[in-house]
């Protein structure tokens, strides 16, 4: 008998898992392998999920840390997180056949960075300095960009209150955390410019909202996602901030039995780079522990689709479905 006397069940969040940008990036690698044959080189992890990387590696994708590791003239795919202009220039110098899998929502942030720099603004980039997306965005205006990773950093900036500034954000952050930082910056710089719509992507917003919804009715939240997946980690933080116990589960083997002790209701979701097969494996394992009742909680409907680069479609339109 559980602590509450209730039967054991799982509340499954919807939406969860792959977003349109991740689907597009993975399909780009698959289509490149079909068109060019292996090996196809991918700069960094195409998306932050070890299961996905292993699967593509088995099919002939070679993951490298730098475009410098790609043989001259070979096919090089830029990851969904985007790259700096310096990386693009270096790839051109080395005559690489570049296929760009940058998420269109990240590309929009790059465009905003260039516009702020053109207009003479100092760019306050909210995000984590060691994340690949932030490295790419920073590289679009390195002389004009300051990375702001916390409210404390925002409060301690040495810029004058009347400085001409604009802010951008990493797309995979927590809405609540980002809002606090933006408020701190607005208090310092009342005339600060910002994006017409927030930079945090629709998928991150939707998954965080869904986690909040299921956390309110769950004893435990499990988020499927890799340890280097920013949006997955933010989902765990969002759940914990609601007062729920929450853990990241990179793969089913990482589920710890003691987490389930005295638990009646487990909420399950998955980060935007986590494949559904990992969710299914987790649900099977939870069923083995008595959590056989399954309830779906849908908080949004996603129908966004991003097309593939023309270099992979011979000019014809194609979709990452």
């Amino acid at each position: 008998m559980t602590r509450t006397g209730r039967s054991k069940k799982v509340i499954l969040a919807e939406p969860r898992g792959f977003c349109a940008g991740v689907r597009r990036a993975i399909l780009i690698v698959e289509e490149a392998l079909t068109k060019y044959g292996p090996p196809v080189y991918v700069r960094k992890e195409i998306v932050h999920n070890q299961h996905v990387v292993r699967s593509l590696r088995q099919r002939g994708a070679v993951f490298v840390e730098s475009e410098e590791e790609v043989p001259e003239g070979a096919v090089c795919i830029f990851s969904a997180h985007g790259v700096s202009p310096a990386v693009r220039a270096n790839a051109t110098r080395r005559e690489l056949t570049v296929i760009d899998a940058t998420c269109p929502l990240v590309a929009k942030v790059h465009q905003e960075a260039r516009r702020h720099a053109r207009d003479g603004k100092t760019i306050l980039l909210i995000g984590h300095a060691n994340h690949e997306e932030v490295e790419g965005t920073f590289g679009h205006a390195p002389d004009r960009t300051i990375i702001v990773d916390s409210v404390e950093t925002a409060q301690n900036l040495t810029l004058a209150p009347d400085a001409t500034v604009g802010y951008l954000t990493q797309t995979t952050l927590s809405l609540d955390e980002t809002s606090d930082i933006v408020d701190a910056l607005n208090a310092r710089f009342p005339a600060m410019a910002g994006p017409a719509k927030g930079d945090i992507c629709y998928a991150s917003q939707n998954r965080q909202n869904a986690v909040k919804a299921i956390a309110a009715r769950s004893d435990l939240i499990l988020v499927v996602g890799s340890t280097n997946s920013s949006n997955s980690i933010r989902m765990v933080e969002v759940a914990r901030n609601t007062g729920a116990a929450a853990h990241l589960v990179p793969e089913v083997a990482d589920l710890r039995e003691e987490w389930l002790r005295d638990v009646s209701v487990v909420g399950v979701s998955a980060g935007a780079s986590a494949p559904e097969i990992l969710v299914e494996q987790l649900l099977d394992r939870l069923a083995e522990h008595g959590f056989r009742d399954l309830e779906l909680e849908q908080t949004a409907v996603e129908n966004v689709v991003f097309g593939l680069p023309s270099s992979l479609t011979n000019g014809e339109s194609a979709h990452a479905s």
Side-chain angles (χ1 to χ4, degrees), residues 197-218:
K197 293 184 178 180
D199 287 333
I200 295 176
C201 85
Y202 76 93
S204 292
Q205 292 176 354
N206 287 346
R207 280 149 190 73
Q208 290 170 28
N209 291 341
V211 160
K212 285 182 181 180
I214 64 173
R217 300 195 291 124
S218 302

Side-chain angles (χ1 to χ4, degrees), residues 204-250:
S204 292
Q205 292 176 354
N206 287 346
R207 280 149 190 73
Q208 290 170 28
N209 291 341
V211 160
K212 285 182 181 180
I214 64 173
R217 300 195 291 124
S218 302
D219 303 314
L220 170 70
I221 295 293
L222 300 176
V223 176
V224 177
S226 288
T227 55
N228 62 339
S229 167
S230 176
N231 79 88
S232 300
I233 294 169
R234 301 291 88 75
M235 290 166 67
V236 173
E237 293 174 350
V238 164
R240 289 175 178 167
N241 287 339
T242 69
H247 299 284
L248 188 69
V249 185

Side-chain angles (χ1 to χ4, degrees), residues 269-292:
S269 189
S273 52
E276 186 66 12
I277 183 64
L278 298 182
V279 176
E280 293 170 0
Q281 290 171 358
L282 178 60
L283 295 178
D284 289 343
R285 182 62 56 83
L286 288 171
E288 294 173 5
H289 288 283
F291 295 87
R292 297 184 181 89

Side-chain angles (χ1 to χ4, degrees), residues 109-110 112-113 116 123-127 137 166-170 195 199:
V109 178
H110 292 178
E112 292 168 347
H116 282 326
I123 301 166
L124 304 177
L125 175 56
I126 301 172
T137 302
Y167 82 89
L168 304 172
T169 77
Q170 181 180 330
D199 287 333

